[in-house]
Amino acid sequence: MVRVTRVGEVVQFTMGRLVLGRPLYLVAAYYADGLLVDTGPPAVAREFARAVAELPVRAVVLTHAHEDHAGNSPVLAGRGLRPLAHPLALPLLARPPRQFVYQRVVWGRQPPADAAPVPEEVATPSLRLRVVHTPGHSPDHICLFEERRGWLFSGDLFLSPYVKVARRDENPHQTIASLRRVLELRVTTVFCASGKVVADGRAALQRKLDFWERLRDQARDLRRQGRTPAEISRMLLGPEGAFRLVTFGHFSKQNLINALLREE
């Protein structure tokens, strides 16, 4: 499934593999003035190719190398477009790492992609987007900021103000630092990979920063009281949901607490 929505000057592509008529997981890419930000999961490659066929795409930037964001890059390669990404993403795109079973089921098998290093700024005829390195969700993660409009294409930096799960390889301390970094910018609208377009983006980013900093401090206080990480997770975030079961622990509340308890 690929759903195309126009949000002012920006075109949003909301994508997901359907099972029994329902998407397993939605992820969004964005297009504005010739620039495509992310390419979506390979499970919807044919639908995505049709959706962008008539668009005059002149440049492609990937927020990071995960398959749900970079998986359709070969679709654009057929049009002579080489995606741009953080240097740390390039080897991961060229030789995608082994996927978990749930990743192949939900997003599809990631094909190799040839990418080039993204410059400090990406310009189109009417937009000038600053590239901001925002590690945490992954070491190669970047956001794109258009200062005149206050737009932030945030990839997986935001997702929602109260994210309670993390991948096993995430670094929430780096995410906290990245949130502080983008809050130094004059952000108005956040275009999130979850499909949310947040008009009051600055306040939403601040809520996520406050939530994770508070969660970190509470977790450390409980550890000083002798609580175990498992107890801390249950006390602060409640019982695990379906994410942990479906992903065999790759995504979980416990991962977030464990990472917050590690030294920065």
Side-chain angles (χ1 to χ4, degrees):
M1 178 209 79
V2 178
R3 184 172 65 240
V4 182
T5 309
R6 180 168 286 278
V7 186
E9 300 174 72
V10 178
V11 178
Q12 180 191 68
F13 301 91
T14 308
M15 296 170 269
R17 171 174 268 165
L18 296 179
V19 174
L20 300 176
R22 293 183 170 227
L24 292 175
Y25 189 94
L26 292 175
V27 64
Y30 296 92
Y31 169 86
D33 195 35
L35 173 67
L36 184 65
V37 181
D38 285 339
T39 63
V44 298
R46 290 182 182 178
E47 298 99 315
F48 181 72
R50 289 195 294 269
V52 300
E54 301 303 318
L55 285 178
V57 181
R58 292 183 289 271
V60 182
V61 176
L62 304 175
T63 58
H64 56 301
H66 290 166
E67 67 273 25
D68 51 329
H69 294 260
N72 290 323
S73 296
V75 170
L76 283 306
R79 294 168 58 174
L81 291 164
R82 190 182 186 196
L84 305 173
H86 190 276
L88 290 174
L90 304 189
L92 301 174
L93 294 165
R95 299 185 66 180
R98 187 170 179 268
Q99 293 172 286
F100 289 88
V101 172
Y102 84 89
Q103 291 173 304
R104 294 199 299 272
V105 170
V106 175
W107 295 306
R109 191 179 296 274
Q110 184 171 12
D114 177 41
V118 67
E120 293 182 359
E121 184 177 89
V122 178
T124 75
S126 66
L127 305 175
R128 299 182 71 86
L129 297 112
R130 186 191 313 179
V131 176
V132 186
H133 187 208
T134 50
H137 178 72
S138 62
D140 61 319
H141 196 284
I142 61 171
C143 294
L144 297 174
F145 176 60
E146 215 292 327
E147 185 170 13
R148 285 174 295 181
R149 291 164 174 80
W151 295 348
L152 184 75
F153 295 95
S154 63
D156 279 343
L157 175 66
F158 173 66
L159 296 181
S160 81
Y162 305 108
V163 176
K164 297 181 180 180
V165 297
R167 286 169 55 115
R168 195 176 294 144
D169 56 354
E170 281 192 58
N171 185 330
H173 298 299
Q174 288 186 343
T175 299
I176 286 170
S178 293
L179 287 165
R180 290 175 182 159
R181 189 172 303 124
V182 298
L183 280 165
E184 293 175 357
L185 308 172
R186 293 191 295 177
V187 174
T188 56
T189 306
V190 169
F191 295 89
C192 181
S194 67
K196 299 182 182 77
V197 177
V198 186
D200 192 1
R202 182 176 185 80
L205 290 163
Q206 186 67 56
R207 284 196 294 273
K208 179 172 181 178
L209 174 62
D210 293 344
F211 176 64
W212 271 21
E213 287 186 321
R214 185 167 63 252
L215 188 66
R216 176 201 60 200
D217 296 343
Q218 290 172 333
R220 289 175 172 177
D221 287 343
L222 288 169
R223 182 176 58 180
R224 283 191 287 268
Q225 295 171 26
R227 299 288 187 172
T228 67
E231 289 174 327
I232 294 169
S233 181
R234 287 193 300 272
M235 293 172 70
L236 296 181
L237 299 176
E240 292 283 355
F243 257 50
R244 183 173 187 174
L245 179 65
V246 171
T247 67
F248 298 97
H250 191 222
F251 269 99
S252 72
K253 295 176 180 179
Q254 191 66 63
N255 290 342
L256 177 56
I257 293 299
N258 290 346
L260 286 170
L261 288 172
R262 287 195 290 269
E263 293 299 321
E264 297 181 33

